[in-house]
Amino acid sequence: MYDDILLPVAPEGKANAAVPHAESLAERYDATVHVVSAADTIEHTLSGPRIGSLAERVESAAQDRVDELTERLSEAGVDVEGHVVRGEPLDAIEDAIEETGADIVVMPSHTRKGLSRVLLGSVTEKVVRISPVPVVTVPMPSENENVEGADEEAE
């Protein structure tokens, strides 16, 4: 049913409650997990030495996060590929669905309420609206909580 699972991750993220779910689906369906992180830089809009340095740090953080998770999933026996792409997260995820041939997307959702939800929205919410494949959303714990199987640090 699921041959390719897309697992989007934030470059600066630490915890991701969606990882154990992607791992479980991959094990059950003998699927490949595609870990993708969007290095959302504004380098293409602005220029200068500080922007270039910022872009490099963001891209490096994204690569570190992808490497960390691909190693973790590989050690668990999951077939995994890692990808870092430049650009806005929503566009990167939309492109990654097509490029990887993903059958399902598994991603975390911060459960914002009230005004912050209205003003901020979320990438996950937008992906749910535009995705041509099913999207599994996994609630992220608050900073005080810990999810079994998730990383120890809060995102």
Side-chain angles (χ1 to χ4, degrees), residues 53-109:
S53 175
L54 172 64
E56 289 169 10
R57 287 195 311 266
V58 170
E59 199 162 344
S60 177
Q63 188 64 58
D64 290 348
R65 186 68 174 133
V66 167
D67 291 346
E68 172 192 342
L69 289 176
T70 55
E71 181 179 334
R72 174 180 167 180
L73 290 167
S74 182
E75 287 175 357
V78 172
D79 186 22
V80 61
E81 295 180 10
H83 313 274
V84 174
V85 294
R86 281 189 171 192
E88 195 274 325
L90 181 61
D91 294 337
I93 294 167
E94 187 174 21
D95 291 345
I97 291 169
E98 184 177 327
E99 290 168 10
T100 64
D103 304 300
I104 190 167
V105 178
V106 180
M107 59 190 307
S109 175

